[in-house]
Amino acid sequence: MKIRTLNEYLKEQFGTKVYKLSLSSGTTCPNRDGTSGTGGCVFCSQGGSGDFAAPFEPLELQIQKAKLKVDKKFPSDIAPENRKYIAYFQSYTATYGDQTRLKKLFEDAISLNEIAALSVATRPDCLEDGMIGFLSELNRKKPVWVELGLQTANDEIARQINRGYPLRVFTQIYDRLKAAGLTVIVHIILGLPGEAACDMVNTAKFLASLKPELDGVKFQLLHILRGTALGDKYEKEPFKTLSLEEYAAVLCECLAVMPERTVVHRITGDGPKRILLAPKWSGEKKMVLNYLNRAIASYERS
């Protein structure tokens, strides 16, 4: 298999190192406020999957604070005035709520000289035609990515994790986003309760079968976090989670079925250590990434 990494893609597209600024759109989620459900997905923390995003404040202040976190990563030969960023609206459902306010927020972000692209994380059941059309217009100015939380292609597992929408909704919105010329990135979670390795690979195969081909994918290890519905269940009666070896093995199988054109944005993620219940090994980010990269390299050679 040949993996197209995010770093490679960004250098191809922008010709320089680019970092994401994790921002907040000040929204909530229809799966929390009763519109499509309550309590959110069972794995989702109070941060709405944006635990490392900036709190909701005026956009300029958010960007200023987010820059402080990433600027030290830039190579020393890239002057501050030449640094480029992706405005990443990460937490909760960034297209849910007051459409007029959100459109202005996205337009203000993408209009900044240092912003090279806009990335909007959302749910497929929260993209109205007007918002899709608006994002398509912005995409003519600078690249716009729409990140969809799918997690699994198995509708029964999706029901158990309280995702709040069926697979057909995802497919319909995917088709509309691609028809509008937008870049689509999909999140999936490996290790959901009730899923065997073959189920996880089947989700990857589903994504690989999409036409037009999927632009990007994020693989996420299931984190069990304190304060979530899943965390409450785990604290009452602990259940098995994936070991690092098991996660690496199924990740490699998933990567192997993805189209070469699809950009791999993430091979795992790390939950906040202060609320991480399991698996504990996932809190050692550097060790985990080194292990996974070695496992992928070994899989590629085999």
Side-chain angles (χ1 to χ4, degrees):
M1 62 182 177
K2 176 66 175 72
I3 297 173
R4 192 180 185 198
T5 68
L6 179 60
N7 277 340
E8 292 169 344
Y9 171 73
L10 291 175
K11 286 182 180 179
E12 288 171 10
Q13 186 161 16
F14 302 112
T16 185
K17 194 77 173 175
V18 179
Y19 284 104
K20 282 186 175 182
L21 301 177
S22 292
L23 309 171
S24 171
S25 59
T27 58
T28 182
C29 174
N31 204 14
R32 288 177 176 267
D33 68 7
T35 301
S36 62
T38 57
C41 297
V42 297
F43 52 79
C44 194
S45 71
Q46 290 303 309
S49 296
D51 295 288
F52 300 107
F56 184 66
E57 296 175 305
L59 180 63
E60 289 184 6
L61 185 57
Q62 283 197 62
I63 288 177
Q64 180 182 349
K65 290 181 177 181
K67 280 182 179 180
L68 292 176
K69 295 180 179 180
V70 302
D71 274 356
K72 59 188 175 184
K73 299 179 182 180
F74 275 100
S76 58
D77 60 341
I78 300 181
E81 63 271 18
N82 295 327
R83 293 171 183 171
K84 296 296 181 182
Y85 309 87
I86 297 168
Y88 178 29
F89 289 93
Q90 178 182 15
S91 54
Y92 296 104
T93 305
T95 60
Y96 182 61
D98 183 339
Q99 300 293 284
T100 300
R101 181 185 71 82
L102 292 172
K103 287 176 181 178
K104 184 177 188 309
L105 183 66
F106 300 151
E107 187 164 30
D108 287 349
I110 208 170
S111 68
L112 297 172
N113 289 334
E114 67 265 39
I115 299 301
L118 172 71
S119 185
V120 179
T122 187
R123 293 166 54 95
D125 57 348
C126 293
L127 280 162
E128 301 174 0
D129 287 341
M131 179 59 76
I132 293 175
F134 174 74
L135 294 176
S136 181
E137 290 176 12
L138 290 186
N139 192 47
R140 297 188 182 97
K141 301 176 182 178
K142 292 178 184 177
V144 174
W145 303 350
V146 179
E147 303 195 13
L148 299 177
L150 175 64
Q151 322 315 351
T152 177
N154 184 317
D155 267 341
E156 176 54 28
I157 297 294
R159 185 190 65 78
Q160 293 177 27
I161 65 173
N162 198 37
R163 187 178 68 190
Y165 69 85
L167 184 62
R168 59 179 171 76
V169 172
F170 168 87
T171 305
Q172 291 165 0
I173 290 299
Y174 180 83
D175 290 343
R176 285 162 59 190
L177 290 170
K178 292 307 299 175
L182 292 160
T183 295
V184 181
I185 301 154
V186 177
H187 298 228
I188 65 174
I189 293 179
L190 305 182
L192 290 169
E195 282 203 314
C198 60
D199 298 309
M200 303 173 211
V201 176
N202 282 340
T203 293
K205 288 180 177 177
F206 165 75
L207 294 181
S209 72
L210 293 171
K211 299 298 178 189
E213 284 186 351
L214 179 63
D215 298 294
V217 62
K218 285 185 172 181
F219 292 98
Q220 173 75 46
L221 167 73
L222 175 70
H223 294 113
I224 302 176
L225 304 176
R226 184 176 292 107
T228 65
L230 195 60
D232 293 344
K233 181 179 179 181
Y234 184 85
E235 288 187 297
K236 290 176 183 175
E237 189 175 350
F239 50 86
K240 185 184 182 307
T241 58
L242 293 179
S243 68
L244 176 55
E245 294 77 13
E246 289 169 330
Y247 181 78
V250 72
L251 173 67
C252 287
E253 290 188 56
C254 290
L255 289 170
V257 303
M258 299 307 300
E260 287 191 8
R261 176 185 172 279
T262 300
V263 179
V264 178
H265 286 242
R266 178 191 292 166
I267 56 175
T268 189
D270 53 324
K273 284 188 177 182
R274 69 185 186 280
I275 57 172
L276 177 64
L277 295 174
K280 289 295 188 182
W281 57 262
S282 67
E284 304 302 323
K285 183 175 182 179
K286 186 175 181 179
M287 179 276 293
V288 171
L289 288 175
N290 287 338
Y291 185 96
L292 293 178
N293 284 321
R294 288 195 301 269
I296 292 167
S298 177
Y299 191 94
E300 288 176 330
R301 291 193 299 267
S302 64

